[in-house]
Amino acid sequence: MKYKYKKLDYNTEYLEILSSSDLKKIADYSLRQYLLRVHMRDDGLYRCPLKKQWYQKNKIHVAHYHDRNRLNTRYNLDNCHLISEQSNMWEAQEPKEGYKSKHHYEYEIWLRDKIGEEKFEELSQESKKLVIFTKEDYIAQINKLRNE
């Protein structure tokens, strides 16, 4: 028996009928589209603040300083940044003493400088709070990102 895979329409306006799982995918997509929209250079390139180089869209990732599984900071714009694939994937596998990886070390230094020590500590505390997203939370997040 063949099963038909239903392709998710990431731009749908009919959010209320979707599952939480699909809404999370659309919220993640909307976050990426928002970051790409606000950080694109006139020639269509994007700057990685860690590598200090410009990249094409297919070589840039949305990175989260605090892991994506921490829902309280998953869509926080102080926690989410466009970072090169090289750093986010490959350097995240390079060990760095005292840190998860070279990527995490460089990300922390850059982020502390960008948002300041006080805001960095507040973000760290926020990331530790347990939050469960409802469908309404995902819909609100999607609408916010689409309309900013």
Side-chain angles (χ1 to χ4, degrees):
M1 177 187 258
K2 286 189 176 184
Y3 292 98
K4 283 190 175 181
Y5 176 73
K6 165 190 87 163
K7 186 170 180 180
L8 184 59
D9 177 3
Y10 287 93
N11 297 307
T12 186
E13 295 298 320
Y14 303 105
L15 300 171
E16 296 78 14
I17 64 172
L18 298 174
S19 67
S20 291
S21 176
D22 283 347
L23 289 169
K24 183 189 284 189
K25 292 173 190 171
I26 292 174
D28 290 346
Y29 172 83
S30 298
L31 173 63
R32 176 172 171 77
Q33 295 311 304
Y34 170 80
L35 291 172
L36 290 171
R37 188 169 62 249
V38 300
H39 294 291
M40 184 174 67
R41 196 166 71 174
D42 287 343
D43 62 1
L45 296 178
Y46 303 88
R47 187 172 190 276
C48 171
L50 304 186
K51 305 309 293 172
K52 297 178 176 61
Q53 294 179 13
W54 294 88
Y55 294 87
Q56 293 179 340
K57 182 165 63 171
N58 65 337
K59 297 292 183 188
I60 202 93
H61 289 188
V62 174
H64 296 73
Y65 180 73
H66 294 287
D67 290 343
R68 289 176 3 138
N69 65 0
R70 298 182 183 184
L71 291 180
N72 208 33
T73 51
R74 186 181 185 117
Y75 303 106
N76 182 316
L77 296 178
D78 286 329
N79 189 55
C80 306
H81 307 92
L82 293 176
I83 304 293
S84 71
E85 174 185 58
Q86 177 187 358
S87 177
N88 197 43
M89 284 186 66
W90 307 116
E91 291 178 359
Q93 297 175 31
E94 290 182 34
K96 175 74 175 169
E97 190 173 335
Y99 292 86
K100 285 171 65 176
S101 69
K102 177 183 177 187
H103 163 76
H104 290 86
Y105 168 73
E106 291 175 352
Y107 201 170
E108 181 175 321
I109 290 172
W110 173 80
L111 187 57
R112 283 180 186 273
D113 185 57
K114 180 182 189 309
I115 66 175
E117 219 37 60
E118 185 176 330
K119 207 169 188 182
F120 182 86
E121 292 305 323
E122 289 172 7
L123 183 65
S124 293
Q125 291 306 311
E126 278 297 306
S127 76
K128 295 174 185 171
K129 293 180 182 175
L130 179 61
V131 173
I132 298 172
F133 268 40
T134 64
K135 287 177 68 167
E136 291 75 21
D137 292 327
Y138 284 118
I139 290 169
Q141 189 63 53
I142 291 164
N143 288 329
K144 178 182 171 191
L145 291 165
R146 284 179 175 179
N147 296 318
E148 282 191 11

